Amino acid sequence: MSREIAEQPGALRRLLEEGAPRIRAVAGAIATRRPRFVLLTARGTSDNAALYAKYLLEILHGLPCGLTSMSTTTAYDARPDLTDVLVITVSQSGGSPDLVASTRAARRAGAITLAVTNNADSPLAEAAEHHIDILAGPEYALPATKTYTSSLLALYLFVEALRGHDGVPTAARLPELAEEILARGEEVRELAGRYRFAERMVLTSRGYGYPTVKEAALKLMETSYVPALSYSGADLLHGPLAMVDNVFPVIAVVPDGRGGEALRPVLERLRERGADLVVVGSRERVAEASAGFVLPTEGVAEEVQPILEILPLQLLAMEVTLARGQDPDAPRSLAKVTETH
């Protein structure tokens, strides 16, 4: 896990340099079909990447999006009319049977199908009409790390190209900034001490940061086995805030932009509750919390900040796991390719 976390700057750089032309070509072909709606299909970590794509498509491109309920076709044999609908299936391995079956069913129903995977020879890549290879290289650790950030970047470049823009200049600094963040592992190790004996925790954000906290919660649960609940800040105020007290650990990802502004009232309520609040975000927001990790997001567009936000949280999941005497490379009961049906 440690090695693959460290490989992320190189993987991002490779995608910008080698993958971007192919992504533009795929986006151009799909744009000529003028999709009217987008359905996003994924599981696990890839589901959080798909949620990020939903924000991109709706905010930047104005295309309405939904997340697929695969059982409607794989278990209930539903046959919706998907004419002129773009179905994007995101999968690290491209091998899960329900993802493949759902994509095939969507194609038969008239959809424009796109697979986004780390395996160009996978059954999913073969099943879809179009394919984007995220070029992350082999990933052997059970917790997905570099395939997540590479999926985010590939989806960002695709959405920008779909609307006739070149996303490379906006994303060009990400590999360098990722290196800066990953060089600060000692800071994360100190933060991990706060959670060595945690029985549960909550993660919250808004806007583009919401997929980040969902992914961070997943990483914490699958490596350290700490129950970690992720909420949109708005949803947190609609009831779950009641469980927060002065010993309850909360991690807030505060984007530098509109999402962070929308989260401000939530942070105020958390401070009123006396929560042990750790902030991942700008220096100003970290200074208002119990502790935190300052992200180098000055001048970075909000829509690509999630690619940086998750990095210290991947490190945190690994360090919390090690502090608890467990092995992040061998989560119990998990397999690299999860074969759901």
Side-chain angles (χ1 to χ4, degrees), residues 40 49-63 65 151-160 163 208 211 302-304 306-307:
L40 295 147
L51 180 59
Y52 168 71
K54 184 177 189 295
Y55 278 88
L56 291 173
L57 284 159
E58 291 188 340
I59 295 170
L60 298 181
H61 195 32
L63 267 178
C65 299
S151 293
L152 296 190
L153 180 55
L155 289 163
Y156 170 72
L157 294 173
F158 169 75
V159 173
E160 286 291 79
R163 68 192 194 108
Y208 287 112
E302 184 178 359
E303 55 265 29
V304 296
I307 298 167

Side-chain angles (χ1 to χ4, degrees), residues 232-292:
S232 157
D235 288 331
L236 185 62
L237 296 184
H238 282 267
L241 184 69
M243 68 181 167
V244 176
D245 55 28
N246 61 358
V247 295
F248 201 103
V250 179
I251 298 174
V253 172
V254 187
D256 188 4
R258 295 187 184 187
E261 287 302 312
L263 194 63
R264 189 188 293 263
V266 183
L267 300 178
E268 292 173 358
R269 292 289 299 278
L270 288 168
R271 286 193 290 268
E272 289 171 6
R273 300 283 300 175
D276 176 20
L277 177 62
V278 167
V279 164
V280 176
S282 69
R283 188 173 302 279
E284 178 185 1
R285 296 290 173 258
V286 170
E288 297 170 349
S290 306

Side-chain angles (χ1 to χ4, degrees), residues 23-218:
I23 292 172
R24 283 195 295 271
V26 170
I30 291 174
T32 63
R33 306 273 293 275
R34 300 180 64 85
R36 59 183 172 87
F37 189 83
V38 180
L39 280 173
L40 295 147
T41 307
R43 296 282 192 203
T45 285
S46 294
D47 200 33
N48 299 325
L51 180 59
Y52 168 71
K54 184 177 189 295
Y55 278 88
L56 291 173
L57 284 159
E58 291 188 340
I59 295 170
L60 298 181
H61 195 32
L63 267 178
C65 299
L67 300 177
T68 304
S69 299
M70 276 176 280
S71 62
T72 61
T73 54
T74 61
Y76 291 93
D77 202 31
R79 291 292 180 264
D81 180 4
L82 299 180
T83 305
D84 297 328
V85 173
L86 171 59
V87 173
I88 303 175
T89 306
V90 186
S91 171
Q92 167 201 321
S93 67
S96 186
D98 59 349
L99 295 172
V100 176
S102 180
T103 300
R104 286 175 176 157
R107 194 168 180 179
R108 288 194 300 268
I112 309 158
T113 52
L114 168 65
V116 179
T117 80
N118 195 40
N119 183 357
D121 298 320
S122 64
L124 180 59
E126 181 181 353
E129 182 180 357
H130 303 280
H131 177 251
I132 288 174
D133 189 342
I134 65 172
L135 301 177
E139 187 175 58
Y140 299 106
L142 283 174
T145 54
K146 65 179 182 176
T147 51
Y148 179 69
T149 49
S150 290
S151 293
L152 296 190
L153 180 55
L155 289 163
Y156 170 72
L157 294 173
F158 169 75
V159 173
E160 286 291 79
L162 190 64
R163 68 192 194 108
H165 290 221
D166 182 2
V168 171
T170 299
R173 293 178 58 215
L174 294 177
E176 173 191 348
L177 295 174
E179 287 172 346
E180 291 181 18
I181 291 170
L182 295 177
R184 295 161 57 195
E186 187 57 39
E187 292 180 45
V188 178
R189 197 167 297 116
E190 292 178 11
L191 278 179
R194 306 174 75 90
Y195 306 112
R196 182 175 181 179
F197 301 107
E199 296 181 358
R200 67 202 188 287
M201 65 180 73
V202 160
L203 297 92
T204 187
S205 188
R206 290 205 68 180
Y208 287 112
Y210 180 44
T212 302
V213 295
K214 287 179 67 67
E215 172 61 12
L218 177 60

Side-chain angles (χ1 to χ4, degrees), residues 1-2 5 8 45 142-145 182 185 187-196 201 203 212-226 228 251 278 280 293 309-331:
M1 185 177 181
S2 176
I5 287 174
Q8 288 175 106
T45 285
L142 283 174
T145 54
L182 295 177
E187 292 180 45
V188 178
R189 197 167 297 116
E190 292 178 11
L191 278 179
R194 306 174 75 90
Y195 306 112
R196 182 175 181 179
M201 65 180 73
L203 297 92
T212 302
V213 295
K214 287 179 67 67
E215 172 61 12
L218 177 60
K219 285 292 158 286
L220 283 160
M221 289 189 287
E222 68 183 0
T223 57
S224 69
Y225 319 139
V226 177
I251 298 174
V278 167
V280 176
F293 188 96
E309 291 164 353
I310 192 59
L311 299 177
L313 295 169
Q314 291 173 342
L315 289 172
L316 182 67
M318 182 180 70
E319 294 294 347
V320 169
T321 304
L322 293 171
R324 293 165 73 96
Q326 294 153 197
D327 183 358
D329 287 336

